[in-house]
Amino acid sequence: MSVESSSPAQSTLPVDRELVLKVIPMPADCNANGDIFGGWVMAQVDLAGSVLPARHVQGRMATVAVNQFVFKHPVRVGDILSFFAHIERIGNTSITVQVEVYAERFRAQGQYVKVTEASLTYVAIDDQGKPRVIPR
């Protein structure tokens, strides 16, 4: 999960998206290179992405697609990760969400780097796991 230029551009946090999760990765979340596992970041994005759809779905839902997932910079132990989300589309049974992840580096508090962005689709499901209509 390491595709870093020599000095990543600093970002400002988005004001048009909702902060849905903050988390600090720990040493147990590292790969052999000392960076945080991409799969760990993906799991956190999935959790963050489900927050806004849960308000609409009002019941069970499942992740049905990861439409896009881009790792821009590595995540390091001790980074404070902020996950921002917004709903892109609400269909009859599904909701597509855009998630952006910003790292506040442990040694550079107050400075943010956009490390990941993703688009995920969730579908409302019934007790049998079949798609159901999202209440309006």
Side-chain angles (χ1 to χ4, degrees):
M1 186 203 97
S2 182
V3 183
E4 183 171 26
S5 62
S6 58
S7 60
Q10 285 190 10
S11 298
T12 57
L13 297 178
V15 294
D16 60 341
R17 290 164 176 26
E18 185 171 345
L19 176 65
V20 292
L21 179 68
K22 283 188 95 111
V23 67
I24 300 172
M26 301 306 288
D29 306 315
C30 280
N31 62 26
N33 296 319
D35 296 322
I36 300 303
F37 280 114
W40 182 89
V41 175
M42 292 176 84
Q44 303 307 306
V45 167
D46 191 18
L47 290 170
S50 69
V51 171
L52 299 181
R55 295 178 186 162
H56 295 275
V57 169
Q58 300 173 7
R60 290 181 67 195
M61 65 181 178
T63 309
V64 295
V66 177
N67 309 308
Q68 173 195 22
F69 211 104
V70 179
F71 293 105
K72 296 179 167 290
H73 299 284
V75 174
R76 301 180 185 127
V77 170
D79 284 351
I80 301 168
L81 299 182
S82 299
F83 296 72
F84 291 86
H86 81 280
I87 292 175
E88 290 184 331
R89 181 180 103 41
I90 300 176
N92 289 329
T93 62
S94 66
I95 298 179
T96 301
V97 179
Q98 181 75 26
V99 178
E100 296 177 353
V101 185
Y102 293 82
E104 184 176 7
R105 301 298 189 191
F106 181 73
R107 298 192 188 277
Q109 300 289 309
Q111 298 175 19
Y112 301 92
V113 176
K114 186 177 190 179
V115 292
T116 304
E117 61 186 21
S119 173
L120 302 98
T121 300
Y122 301 85
V123 67
I125 56 174
D126 63 18
D127 290 337
Q128 288 72 45
K130 303 288 185 203
R132 66 175 174 80
V133 174
I134 296 170
R136 299 286 180 189

